[in-house]
Amino acid sequence: MALDSKIPQGPIADKWTNYKNHIDLVNPANKRNIDVIVVGTGLAGGSAAATLAELGYNVKAFCFQDSPRRAHSIAAQGGINAAKNYQGDGDSTYRLFYDTVKGGDYRSREANVYRLAEVSTNIIDQCVAQGVPFAREYGGLLDNRSFGGVLVSRTFYAAGQTGQQLLLGAYSAMNRQIGRGKIKMYNRHEMLDVVKVDGKARGIITRNLITGEIERHSAHAVVLGTGGYGNVFFLSTNAMGSNVTAAWKAHKRGAFFANPCYTQIHPTCIPVSGDHQSKLTLMSESLRNDGRIWVPKHKKDVEAIRNKTLKPTQIAEADRDYYLERRYPAFGNLVPRDVASRAAKERCDAGFGVNATGEAVYLDFASAIERYGKEQAHVKGLNENDAALVKKLGQEVVKNKYGNLFQMYEKIVDENPYETPMMIYPAVHYTMGGIWVDYNLMTTVPGLYAIGEANFSDHGANRLGASALMQGLADGYFVLPYTIGDYLSDDIRTGPISTDTKEFEEAEAEVRKNIDHLINNNGTHSVDYFHKRLGKIMWNKCGMARNAEDLKSAITEISELRAEFWKDVRVPGTANEFNEELAKAGRVADFLELGELFAKDALQREESAGGHFREEYQTAEGEAMRRKEFQYVSAWEYKGEPKEAILHKEELAYENIEVKERSYK
């Protein structure tokens, strides 16, 4: 089939406004006759469900957690971008658009990103009206801080728990509609298939995770706001329940996947400590505003630190390599995430990693504590040369800005980051790839939409920090509610969708068949046994460093592992009860299929992009060009009117071309 992105004609700055002025609408009296299913209740799904219900649609919302408050959006720490230019430092809609496209290695869809930048300011107004407690400056204006990859301060934040506060705002909006009866909430329900009737998405099959009951649910359209698939690596910063099942089932029903191999490798995570771990913990990128990243210059010091005969605080400034400041002076420690991750890996691969595994670098706040302490001493008329006083005052400032993050680090690592530099290392975080969508956010299945991290459109090969929350809320509050009306305007006379059809029966039978197999398999190994093996293949051969030989090997190994899984997995318990191992088994089965597609996509991309090194193509010249780009000599500039599809790998690979159907056994 030929993919049609449906990007409107005309100048990029006018596309969204002109488009909204000409699409079909559903009038308020007709909206009450139309049902919409929203799967996932994080920032994208929650905001979409609330807004669609506010408009008058009947919404059925599903989440596998016990409450929408538990969605993984709650884990976002650092902030949300918006081009309000409160700091007066030169920000604009265009600059946010430009930074996002550039930060994504020029592989984002420009039209979608410009729209994202346009509506970003509305998000902040919406959330303030909901009562989201953004940080404020002394004068009462909302405060902003910087994130990697930009030279302005545009990130709005609520301490180190921005995701939680934004999610509570969306949740309160949902609760208003639940109370009115416009949203019917299905907690502890997992979507296990999409149902197509006459080629259109008309419902889903779910499993009640408490009782095990298989249920049919119908609607005129289905919206997936189900997040990303970073847990294909087993160890990631994602919640352990985060999975690909909803998106993958949609894919198997005809929704195309785009850029599956583009995974965000976040540079600021607590390092792996051993095989016992089940997940990794993110330290917010906001820490790089004040923390300085370094490793020792001399390997003798590295060895002494690993042997615990030398403390990092005992290493003189002259013997420290602040390698990001050295390599990228314009951006310093606030380079984009992919650049910071590559640089950390390079230093550790060269033998300068500072923990027992050799895979960690320091994130040090000593300079910030001293700077803030002297400033506070000056403000209060105290002795700026009193080292103990300066340190105390400086720590208080840092605690006010990052206190919950420091507390979290100390609880996990058992070291005081006010006294000893944090140790960090890159880890799998966000996934830029996802379900292919057009400008309307519709997949290749009519009536099936994907929003937020579940789709592929906005972040290219590398997401800029604080853009995930922006995309989720933009899609849910301000984009999908417009574009879905253009499709639903043809359904105002359709009437309720029946679940007593052969399409629903067949989909339910397929779901039951897979569950029965897993329950009755009686193999010898646990679900986690297979998931960990998959994760090691993915990280070692499809992670930051990639080459053709390893990727081909990964494809074969994953295929063999999948066959072994279906023969030898053991799932205790029964299907008709609360059975987390059964739920986990279904999710890992989907990861095993996605993993193979992931590796195949990576093999086809003979390039280094985002946080991924394609080793055969790494050259000194290529790395020099990367450094040059991020010292403000861009790989390209818009000349006059902005143009689209510039250096667009994704356009060439996924849009307006014939795509062969893939099948998975």
Side-chain angles (χ1 to χ4, degrees):
M1 75 183 279
L3 293 174
D4 180 7
S5 60
K6 295 185 173 63
I7 296 174
Q9 298 298 311
I12 196 168
D14 300 333
K15 287 182 186 295
W16 180 230
T17 299
N18 291 340
Y19 187 70
K20 287 190 296 181
N21 288 340
H22 295 95
I23 59 176
D24 290 336
L25 303 175
V26 180
N27 83 38
N30 288 328
K31 287 190 176 91
R32 67 176 69 103
N33 298 318
I34 293 178
D35 302 324
V36 180
I37 284 173
V38 178
V39 185
T41 54
L43 287 183
S47 60
T51 307
L52 292 169
E54 188 78 41
L55 289 171
Y57 296 105
N58 305 309
V59 177
K60 303 174 186 178
F62 296 81
C63 69
F64 67 75
Q65 299 92 346
D66 59 355
S67 164
R69 297 190 312 275
R70 304 289 189 185
H72 188 53
S73 301
I74 203 170
Q77 299 167 343
I80 177 171
N81 288 331
K84 278 188 171 291
N85 194 31
Y86 280 178
Q87 302 296 315
D89 56 0
D91 202 10
S92 64
T93 296
Y94 176 83
R95 187 174 286 277
L96 174 53
F97 155 70
Y98 178 87
D99 287 343
T100 304
V101 173
K102 180 180 180 183
D105 260 359
Y106 314 102
R107 288 159 175 82
S108 311
R109 183 190 281 154
E110 281 92 345
N112 290 56
V113 176
Y114 198 94
R115 176 175 64 187
L116 175 65
E118 279 186 90
V119 305
S120 66
T121 56
N122 299 338
I123 297 170
I124 305 304
D125 296 338
Q126 170 96 354
C127 294
V128 169
Q130 290 173 339
V132 173
F134 287 121
R136 293 181 180 269
E137 295 179 323
Y138 179 77
L141 290 177
L142 299 183
D143 196 14
N144 292 123
R145 57 190 178 197
S146 296
F147 261 60
V150 302
L151 294 179
V152 298
S153 296
R154 65 162 66 101
T155 303
F156 295 77
Y157 64 98
Q161 51 182 257
T162 312
Q164 178 179 358
Q165 298 304 326
L166 293 173
L167 186 62
L168 290 174
Y171 177 63
S172 66
M174 283 185 69
N175 269 347
R176 167 177 149 80
Q177 299 305 325
I178 292 170
R180 293 181 63 223
K182 294 302 293 181
I183 294 178
K184 187 169 183 181
M185 189 67 226
Y186 294 88
N187 298 330
R188 281 298 192 181
H189 280 68
E190 182 158 31
M191 178 194 134
L192 296 180
D193 210 348
V194 175
V195 181
K196 289 166 60 177
V197 179
D198 296 329
K200 296 181 178 180
R202 292 301 198 188
I204 61 174
I205 305 296
T206 67
R207 179 173 178 267
N208 183 320
L209 295 175
I210 302 297
T211 66
E213 183 180 357
I214 305 302
E215 302 172 3
R216 307 176 187 180
H217 297 276
S218 65
H220 297 90
V222 176
V223 179
L224 303 183
T226 50
Y229 47 87
N231 278 350
V232 70
F233 287 85
F234 186 71
L235 286 179
S236 81
T237 66
N238 290 191
M240 291 188 67
S242 298
N243 62 83
V244 76
T245 289
W248 193 251
K249 299 304 186 187
H251 176 58
K252 294 178 79 170
R253 291 292 182 186
F256 282 27
F257 239 80
N259 303 342
C261 78
Y262 284 163
T263 309
Q264 175 130 84
I265 311 294
H266 198 294
T268 318
C269 300
I270 296 178
V272 176
S273 60
D275 289 338
H276 62 282
Q277 278 183 262
S278 57
K279 75 177 299 294
L280 297 173
T281 303
L282 173 69
M283 290 284 100
S284 169
E285 183 180 339
S286 62
L287 295 173
R288 289 199 278 142
N289 273 290
D290 288 312
R292 300 178 70 191
I293 296 173
W294 64 277
V295 292
K297 284 184 179 179
H298 310 296
K299 288 191 177 178
K300 63 180 178 62
D301 291 337
V302 174
E303 291 301 321
I305 286 173
R306 290 182 187 173
N307 295 331
K308 297 188 177 180
T309 59
L310 184 68
K311 295 180 180 179
T313 51
Q314 296 173 317
I315 297 180
E317 281 289 305
D319 295 324
R320 300 181 180 191
D321 179 13
Y322 294 95
Y323 57 87
L324 292 178
E325 298 171 29
R326 169 171 57 83
R327 295 180 181 182
Y328 311 101
F331 283 78
N333 294 294
L334 285 173
V335 294
R337 290 176 175 179
D338 60 329
V339 178
S341 294
R342 284 198 312 272
K345 184 177 188 301
E346 184 277 326
R347 286 290 78 197
C348 290
D349 288 350
F352 293 92
V354 294
N355 68 347
T357 66
E359 294 184 333
V361 299
Y362 287 126
L363 178 63
D364 195 337
F365 280 81
S367 295
I369 288 171
E370 182 179 5
R371 183 177 72 253
Y372 285 129
K374 287 189 173 183
E375 180 183 279
Q376 287 299 303
H378 181 82
V379 168
K380 296 178 180 182
L382 302 175
N383 183 3
E384 297 177 41
N385 296 315
D386 184 337
L389 174 66
V390 166
K391 183 176 181 180
K392 179 176 180 294
L393 294 173
Q395 286 184 352
E396 288 175 358
V397 174
V398 170
K399 184 176 182 180
N400 287 334
K401 295 182 73 172
Y402 310 112
N404 62 315
L405 298 171
F406 277 54
Q407 183 183 44
M408 184 168 65
Y409 180 89
E410 185 169 5
K411 283 182 178 295
I412 294 171
V413 180
D414 195 27
E415 285 187 354
N416 183 349
Y418 295 101
E419 303 290 344
T420 302
M422 289 184 181
M423 288 190 292
I424 57 169
Y425 193 70
V428 172
H429 184 45
Y430 190 92
T431 48
M432 282 71 63
I435 303 174
W436 185 94
V437 293
D438 62 18
Y439 191 71
N440 294 319
L441 305 182
M442 190 189 290
T443 71
T444 48
V445 175
L448 180 63
Y449 292 79
I451 58 178
E453 190 180 0
N455 76 34
F456 87 111
S457 61
D458 290 19
H459 306 299
N462 176 60
R463 177 178 65 82
L464 286 184
S467 288
L469 307 187
M470 176 174 62
Q471 187 204 353
L473 292 181
D475 286 356
Y477 282 138
F478 299 111
V479 179
L480 179 79
Y482 280 103
T483 61
I484 199 170
D486 192 46
Y487 172 79
L488 292 175
S489 62
D490 292 332
D491 270 323
I492 59 177
R493 293 185 178 85
T494 300
I497 306 297
S498 172
T499 59
D500 294 325
T501 63
K502 65 179 178 61
E503 290 88 354
F504 276 90
E505 290 173 4
E506 290 170 357
E508 181 182 334
E510 184 67 21
V511 166
R512 290 186 183 277
K513 177 183 174 184
N514 287 335
I515 289 174
D516 289 344
H517 179 94
L518 291 170
I519 285 292
N520 297 316
N521 197 49
N522 293 323
T524 59
H525 292 294
S526 69
V527 176
D528 279 348
Y529 168 82
F530 292 99
H531 197 177
K532 288 180 179 179
R533 285 177 58 190
L534 172 64
K536 287 184 177 179
I537 295 170
M538 296 299 297
W539 180 250
N540 292 332
K541 299 185 177 182
C542 307
M544 293 184 71
R546 300 171 174 178
N547 60 66
E549 183 178 351
D550 279 348
L551 290 169
K552 290 175 183 177
S553 172
I555 293 167
T556 301
E557 289 177 37
I558 294 169
S559 178
E560 292 171 350
L561 182 63
R562 184 168 66 250
E564 185 182 343
F565 170 87
W566 284 105
K567 290 178 182 177
D568 201 29
V569 70
R570 182 177 182 84
V571 178
T574 68
N576 299 317
E577 64 177 349
F578 179 74
N579 189 337
E580 277 294 281
E581 282 299 299
L582 175 59
K584 193 193 303 181
R587 296 164 190 169
V588 171
D590 295 325
F591 279 137
L592 285 163
E593 292 186 352
L594 168 71
E596 187 173 338
L597 179 64
F598 189 118
K600 287 178 177 177
D601 181 38
L603 180 62
Q604 294 297 316
R605 294 178 181 276
E606 297 181 348
E607 60 178 0
S608 293
H612 308 300
F613 304 80
R614 188 61 187 265
E615 292 174 333
E616 308 97 307
Y617 304 97
Q618 288 294 314
T619 63
E621 292 79 9
E623 184 61 22
M625 176 56 75
R626 281 184 174 277
R627 295 182 192 179
K628 192 177 181 184
E629 287 175 16
F630 287 102
Q631 290 177 26
Y632 254 109
V633 181
S634 174
W636 57 275
E637 299 283 348
Y638 284 126
K639 304 296 184 184
E641 198 65 60
K643 296 180 180 179
E644 295 180 352
I646 300 174
L647 295 182
H648 235 324
K649 281 288 180 185
E650 154 274 290
E651 291 280 354
L652 297 175
Y654 292 108
E655 299 203 14
N656 302 315
I657 61 170
E658 293 297 324
V659 181
K660 294 181 180 179
E661 294 278 0
R662 291 189 177 95
S663 63
Y664 293 87
K665 303 298 183 184

